[in-house]
Amino acid sequence: MDEGFVSIIDEKELQEGKMKLVRVEGKTVLLIRQAGKIYAIDDRCPHMGCKFSGGTLDGNVVICPCHDWRFNLETGEYENSPSYVLTMYPFKVEAGKIWVKIEEDDL
Ligand code: FES
């Protein structure tokens, strides 16, 4: 069993310092590699739904393009108000691929 994980891209397709948008089971997952770490987040900002894929990265922070809110990729929290949290998806790297798990509740 793959425990619900879906293979989405080859790991080498995600370059350092870059974002890559992938559609998985009806969701838009934004993959990010920063300082050698991989993150898998929902592309929609929890503020008003803008797309992080049009934003920028600053260390382990992703900055939404609409209102410049800064979200910590380690915790998912908006720096100025941690009650706003972006959605982070479970993922794994296996057999040279990145696998993501979309929970039932996320659909
Ligand atoms: S929609 Fe992202 S900061 Fe407002």
Side-chain angles (χ1 to χ4, degrees):
M1 288 293 292
D2 64 2
E3 302 150 17
F5 283 90
V6 181
S7 159
I8 49 175
I9 62 167
D10 286 346
E11 186 201 355
K12 61 178 185 287
E13 285 183 60
L14 183 62
Q15 295 171 359
E16 173 61 32
K18 301 281 190 199
M19 303 191 265
K20 189 166 184 66
L21 198 57
V22 186
R23 274 196 85 74
V24 188
E25 298 183 1
K27 308 297 286 187
T28 331
V29 177
L30 185 64
L31 295 171
I32 297 168
R33 191 194 296 263
Q34 274 288 75
K37 287 195 71 173
I38 293 173
Y39 306 91
I41 67 172
D42 190 328
D43 192 34
R44 290 170 309 171
C45 177
H47 178 218
M48 292 179 69
C50 285
K51 297 179 185 313
F52 285 121
S53 49
T56 50
L57 298 169
D58 179 17
N60 67 349
V61 168
V62 61
I63 305 168
C64 181
C66 286
H67 311 100
D68 295 329
W69 285 21
R70 297 168 57 91
F71 290 84
N72 185 306
L73 289 166
E74 296 293 335
T75 63
E77 295 172 348
Y78 169 39
E79 286 185 341
N80 293 359
S81 177
S83 58
Y84 285 93
V85 182
L86 54 73
T87 301
M88 306 172 86
Y89 294 112
F91 71 93
K92 63 182 181 180
V93 179
E94 199 173 284
K97 306 232 180 235
I98 298 174
W99 306 67
V100 172
K101 185 175 187 175
I102 306 292
E103 306 283 355
E104 287 280 309
D105 291 351
D106 298 328
L107 296 173

